[in-house]
C-alpha cells in the first residue's frame, strides 16, 4: 500500500580504531585482513548483512561476532572488545555525541535528520550502498484497487502530518510516504541484493 519509513544504520567505531572516515577504515582493514571485528544481533540479521555487504563491496575481510542482543554488543564496542558496528541510530546517538563512539557514515540513501553532518555510505565512497530497516503497509494481492488507492491516500496524509513525522523520527525512522510501486520495487531490489550476497558469502540463517 505504502512505505511508512526507513531507519538507516550508522557505522560506528570504537574511538581507539585509527580511522576517521570510510576510506581510512577500508585502508586499515586491507592491511589487517580479518583482524577488525564487528558485532550484530545474530547470524543473518540485517546488521550482519549490512556489514557483509560493505565488506564485499570494498573487498575487505572483517570478522563477524554475533550476539544474542544489541545491548551486549553496544557495551563491548564502547569498551574496545569490538572495533565497529552497524548500529541503530536512536539508541546510539547519545554515545556518539558523548564521544564514546565515532560515527563514520549512515547507511541509507540520504542523511537522517538525527545525524545531518554524517555522510551516507555512498557519499563516503561506497557506491550505491543503501541499507536500512524499513516499515511498509501491505495487504493481500487480491485487495480491490479502489481500496488500495483509498488506503494509500489516507496513509500519505497521516505520514505527511508533522506530528507523525516527529514521532517516527524520535524512533529513528525517516518518513517515506509514496505510491505502492515504491514498496514493490524495494522488495524486489532487496531480495535480489541479499540473494546475491548470500550466494557470494555463504551466509544462511540458522
Amino acid at each position: 500500500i505504502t512505505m511508512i519509513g526507513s531507519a538507516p544504520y550508522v557505522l560506528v567505531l570504537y574511538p581507539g580504531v585509527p580511522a576517521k572516515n570510510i576510506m581510512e577504515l577500508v585502508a586499515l582493514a586491507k592491511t589487517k585482513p580479518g583482524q577488525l571485528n564487528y558485532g550484530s544481533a545474530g547470524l543473518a540479521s540485517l546488521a550482519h548483512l549490512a556489514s557483509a555487504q560493505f565488506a564485499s563491496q570494498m573487498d575487505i575481510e572483517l570478522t563477524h561476532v554475533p550476539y544474542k542482543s544489541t545491548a551486549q554488543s553496544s557495551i563491548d564496542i564502547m569498551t574496545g572488545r569490538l572495533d565497529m558496528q552497524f548500529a541503530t541510530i536512536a539508541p546510539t546517538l547519545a554515545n556518539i555525541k558523548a564521544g564514546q563512539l565515532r560515527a563514520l557514515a549512515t547507511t541509507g540513501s540520504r542523511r537522517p535528520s538525527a545525524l545531518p553532518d554524517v555522510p551516507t555510505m555512498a557519499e563516503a565512497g561506497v557506491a550505491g550502498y543503501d541499507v536500512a530497516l524499513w516499515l511498509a503497509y501491505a495487504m493481500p494481492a487480491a485487495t480491490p484497487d479502489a481500496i488500495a488507492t483509498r488506503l494509500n491516500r489516507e496513509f500519505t496524509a497521516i505520514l505527511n502530518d508533522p506530528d507523525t513525522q516527529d514521532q517516527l523520527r524520535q524512533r529513528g525512522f525517516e518518513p517515506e510516504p509514496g505510491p505502492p510501486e515504491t514498496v514493490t520495487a524495494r522488495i524486489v531490489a532487496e531480495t535480489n541484493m541479499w540473494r546475491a550476497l548470500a550466494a557470494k558469502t555463504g551466509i544462511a540463517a540458522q
Side-chain angles (χ1 to χ4, degrees):
I1 301 299
T2 184
M3 285 290 298
I4 295 173
S6 64
Y9 289 114
V10 56
L11 174 54
V12 292
L13 301 186
Y14 172 64
V17 176
K20 305 299 183 183
N21 56 55
I22 289 293
M23 290 301 102
E24 288 185 7
L25 176 61
V26 170
L28 179 64
K30 286 183 181 293
T31 66
K32 305 171 66 174
Q35 295 182 47
L36 296 178
N37 62 25
Y38 66 91
S40 82
L43 186 66
S45 64
L46 186 59
H48 178 201
L49 296 176
S51 307
Q53 180 70 14
F54 167 57
S56 176
Q57 280 191 233
M58 305 311 287
D59 193 27
I60 57 176
E61 183 181 347
L62 304 172
T63 296
H64 178 218
V65 182
Y67 286 78
K68 292 183 179 179
S69 73
T70 55
Q72 185 59 50
S73 64
S74 297
I75 293 172
D76 282 359
I77 191 172
M78 286 190 289
T79 56
R81 294 187 181 92
L82 286 176
D83 297 309
M84 69 186 75
Q85 183 161 295
F86 282 84
T88 48
I89 293 174
T92 310
L93 195 57
N95 302 122
I96 294 171
K97 292 182 176 179
Q100 296 170 306
L101 296 172
R102 181 185 304 130
L104 292 194
T106 55
T107 64
S109 60
R110 62 185 185 214
R111 297 187 185 192
S113 56
L115 292 169
D117 297 326
V118 177
T120 66
M121 292 284 280
E123 289 173 333
V126 188
Y129 191 99
D130 182 6
V131 175
L133 296 162
W134 53 270
L135 298 173
Y137 189 77
M139 294 190 73
T143 301
D145 290 345
I147 293 176
T149 299
R150 172 70 184 276
L151 285 171
N152 177 268
R153 184 169 64 249
E154 297 296 338
F155 266 96
T156 298
I158 293 169
L159 291 167
N160 282 325
D161 178 76
D163 289 339
T164 302
Q165 295 189 349
D166 286 344
Q167 289 293 322
L168 284 169
R169 289 189 173 113
Q170 287 176 26
R171 290 160 176 78
F173 282 85
E174 292 296 317
E176 292 186 13
E181 293 78 15
T182 301
V183 183
T184 302
R186 189 156 197 167
I187 291 171
V188 171
E190 294 199 8
T191 298
N192 291 337
M193 178 173 68
W194 299 132
R195 182 178 288 134
L197 181 68
K200 182 177 181 180
T201 62
I203 292 174
Q206 288 182 329

